[in-house]
């Protein structure tokens, strides 16, 4: 597609429920990133995919968080047994190559606003 | 550890006045530096980036930033602010992830308000 697409745009869920957030990166982009943005805060790095592999999961806040990517395309971020502190905007970004080359930029989606009640 | 500090949480500038948003980074190697803008209800948009070469970088919407290695800074400037510039501004550094790639590490952001 023309840009990074995330769905749903808004999600309200009850505490203790599981949620799945979806990211469709720009076609052909090999690198994909998930970030969390709490109200009034900066962007917190969660996880990075290169192709379908996630070489760095160190940013995931707890074992309730997991992510996968298939077909070097769509990625899903799953939060199990949601807690109120999980309420945030979850942003996905993609880039045509890993940022270490310094030759590209990350393109961001509009985010999914998650509210846990 | 890599980190980015934006000392100013909120800045108000009169329309037509000049603007400078501060950014300091901590990174052991040569940094890749970025400024993003986030308008209400919008996604993050890249304003400019620094990888190497000329330390004064020009971006979109009339913004520029200057990389100063000695001060570990990458401040964003604009000579004349427009009301449409009101938004949240994020500075970021491209940081290596355990030899497995690079991700952007963001500051907490500066909210810019523009008064008439």
């Amino acid at each position: 597609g023309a840009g990074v697409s995330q769905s749903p745009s808004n999600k309200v869920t009850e505490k203790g429920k599981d949620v799945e957030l979806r990211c469709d990166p720009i076609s052909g982009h090999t690198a994909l990133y998930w970030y969390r943005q709490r109200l009034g805060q900066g962007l917190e790095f969660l996880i990075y995919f290169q192709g379908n592999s996630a070489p760095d999961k160190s940013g995931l806040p707890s074992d309730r968080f997991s992510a996968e990517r298939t077909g070097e395309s769509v990625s899903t971020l799953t939060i199990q047994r949601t807690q109120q502190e999980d309420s945030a905007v979850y942003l996905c970004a993609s880039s045509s190559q890993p940022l270490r080359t310094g030759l590209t930029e990350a393109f961001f989606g509009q985010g999914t606003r998650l509210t846990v009640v | 550890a890599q980190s980015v500090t934006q000392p100013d949480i909120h800045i108000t500038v009169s329309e037509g006045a000049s603007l400078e948003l501060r950014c300091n980074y901590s990174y052991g190697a040569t940094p890749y530096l970025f400024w993003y803008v986030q308008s209400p209800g919008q996604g993050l948009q890249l304003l400019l980036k620094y990888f190497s070469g000329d330390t004064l970088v020009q971006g979109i919407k009339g913004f520029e930033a200057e990389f100063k290695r000695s001060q570990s800074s990458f401040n964003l400037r604009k000579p004349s602010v427009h009301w449409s510039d009101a938004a949240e501004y994020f500075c970021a550094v491209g940081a290596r992830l355990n030899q497995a790639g690079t991700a952007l590490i963001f500051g907490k952001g500066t909210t810019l308000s523009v008064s008439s």
Side-chain angles (χ1 to χ4, degrees):
Chain A
V4 178
S5 177
Q6 292 187 247
S7 61
S9 55
N10 281 284
K11 175 72 176 179
V12 180
T13 189
E14 291 181 354
K15 179 180 172 182
K17 300 281 190 184
D18 298 352
V19 295
E20 280 190 357
L21 311 180
R22 177 187 170 105
C23 172
D24 281 276
I26 293 172
S27 179
H29 278 194
T30 56
L32 186 147
Y33 308 84
W34 283 99
Y35 287 85
R36 177 170 70 177
Q37 185 178 22
R38 288 177 162 146
L39 187 64
Q41 300 294 312
L43 279 73
E44 177 187 0
F45 169 74
L46 297 179
I47 191 169
Y48 154 71
F49 286 92
Q50 179 58 33
N52 294 331
S53 300
D56 193 307
K57 303 179 182 179
S58 62
L60 294 176
S62 75
D63 58 8
R64 296 186 296 105
F65 286 71
S66 62
E68 65 175 19
R69 188 181 186 195
T70 56
E72 298 196 0
S73 180
V74 172
S75 176
T76 302
L77 178 69
T78 301
I79 309 173
Q80 296 178 308
R81 306 182 302 281
T82 52
Q83 304 294 314
Q84 288 186 329
E85 67 259 27
D86 299 333
S87 295
V89 175
Y90 289 82
L91 290 163
C92 175
S94 70
S95 67
S96 57
Q97 55 190 302
L99 290 174
R100 67 173 179 267
T101 68
L103 297 176
T104 187
E105 67 178 268
F107 294 84
F108 283 81
Q110 301 272 27
T112 294
R113 182 177 298 279
L114 175 66
T115 304
V116 182
V117 297
Chain B
Q2 308 95 334
S3 66
V4 175
T5 302
Q6 294 180 247
D8 305 304
I9 297 173
H10 190 184
I11 285 182
T12 299
V13 175
S14 298
E15 189 169 17
S18 64
L19 169 71
E20 183 169 30
L21 301 182
R22 296 183 291 165
C23 172
N24 293 96
Y25 67 89
S26 173
Y27 189 63
T30 301
Y32 299 147
L33 295 162
F34 305 77
W35 275 99
Y36 280 82
V37 61
Q38 185 178 38
S39 299
Q42 303 293 314
L44 282 158
Q45 181 182 24
L46 180 70
L47 286 176
L48 47 78
K49 59 190 175 186
Y50 170 79
F51 292 152
S52 65
D54 193 346
T55 56
L56 185 62
V57 180
Q58 302 297 320
I60 62 171
K61 304 184 179 184
F63 285 93
E64 66 177 27
E66 186 171 11
F67 170 57
K68 292 185 178 180
R69 184 186 298 275
S70 62
Q71 299 177 18
S72 297
S73 69
F74 188 57
N75 294 348
L76 182 71
R77 300 194 295 250
K78 186 169 184 178
S80 178
V81 168
H82 187 261
W83 64 267
S84 61
D85 293 325
E88 185 99 21
Y89 290 81
F90 292 96
C91 181
V93 62
R96 184 165 295 280
L97 304 170
N98 299 328
Q99 304 178 356
T102 310
L104 293 174
I105 304 300
F106 286 84
K108 293 188 183 297
T110 297
T111 301
L112 173 65
S113 297
V114 180
S115 60
S116 56

